[in-house]
Amino acid sequence: MKNKVLLVSKLSSAVNVISALLEENDCEVGSVVSDAKSALELADDSVYDTIVINSPIEDSDGVELAASLSTETVCGVILITAADKAAIVGPRVSDHGVVVVSKPINKQLFRQLLGVVRAAQKRYAGLSKENERLKSSLEEAKIINRAKILLMQHLALSEERAHRYIEKQAMDMRISKLEVAKQVLKTYSARNRGE
């Protein structure tokens, strides 16, 4: 599967060169924009794997955009900049995980850096997905624990029996423990309010 790329560049001649270079490296340029506003609107890590910014762009030098996109998405971000600016720009964006490539672009080095960016992006995307799964599990556990506390208060059950009650209801009703817990919360929260 090809790596989908969002390319940000104000120069059409550079777009052709960079697009060709990306295509040589198993990438597909999905969209090309020339300014930060359009890039921010299009940047979606469910659509793009990598974002390449050819600095400067229409409304900025692209440095803040690169840092922002790297922080707000799971996309790998490559910032192409003039050789004399690369040493200055690099430290400004390296903490954000942005890879800086200086002009003129060395094809071999670009290929290697693109490989590094792709590997890091895949790893980061996996970690981000795992983080979301863990957050969801934690929220589910909190809701179930709140339901157990209400069952313990209103039905004088031990924690173990409240847990078993939720499990049994879930099995009997063929729904998840989370759904049972939500029903318990709804029932006993209404009683607490005197409804």
Side-chain angles (χ1 to χ4, degrees), residues 6-187:
L6 170 60
L7 178 56
V8 186
S9 179
K10 73 175 180 179
L11 302 173
S12 58
S13 58
V15 168
N16 295 335
V17 170
I18 296 168
S19 293
L21 188 56
L22 288 165
E23 288 171 11
E24 287 174 22
N25 289 286
D26 204 30
C27 295
E28 175 187 345
V29 177
S31 298
V32 178
V33 295
S34 60
D35 61 284
K37 183 178 183 237
S38 299
L40 288 167
E41 288 172 359
L42 279 179
D44 183 350
D45 47 32
S46 67
V47 176
Y48 300 104
D49 303 300
T50 307
I51 300 170
V52 177
I53 302 167
N54 180 37
S55 176
I57 55 177
E58 280 187 10
D59 50 2
S60 73
D61 63 1
V63 176
E64 285 183 35
L65 174 64
S68 177
L69 290 173
S70 185
T71 303
E72 294 172 14
T73 71
V74 296
C75 299
V77 179
I78 297 174
L79 178 64
I80 302 171
T81 189
D84 60 334
K85 294 183 181 178
I88 298 165
V89 169
R92 288 177 54 196
V93 295
S94 64
D95 287 346
H96 298 281
V98 176
V99 172
V100 177
V101 176
S102 62
K103 298 174 191 176
I105 300 172
N106 175 308
K107 286 186 176 187
Q108 182 61 31
L109 180 61
F110 186 80
R111 180 177 292 115
Q112 291 171 350
L113 290 174
L114 185 59
V116 169
V117 167
R118 290 167 84 175
Q121 182 272 331
K122 284 181 184 175
R123 178 151 171 73
Y124 183 70
L127 290 172
S128 182
K129 193 177 278 187
E130 177 65 9
N131 188 34
E132 289 302 314
R133 187 191 67 75
L134 290 172
K135 280 182 185 177
S136 177
S137 293
L138 183 60
E139 279 304 309
E140 185 175 316
K142 284 179 181 180
I143 292 169
I144 291 170
N145 282 333
R146 275 190 254 137
K148 285 195 289 189
I149 289 169
L150 286 173
L151 288 171
M152 291 164 59
Q153 289 173 346
H154 291 274
L155 301 180
L157 299 176
S158 67
E159 182 178 0
E160 186 178 319
R161 291 201 49 170
H163 183 78
R164 180 68 186 123
Y165 174 88
I166 291 172
E167 284 182 331
K168 184 164 180 1
Q169 290 292 97
M171 283 190 297
D172 291 349
M173 297 168 59
R174 297 188 194 324
I175 59 175
S176 70
K177 290 189 289 186
L178 178 61
E179 290 302 312
V180 172
K182 286 179 179 178
Q183 289 176 2
V184 167
L185 288 173
K186 186 177 178 182
T187 299

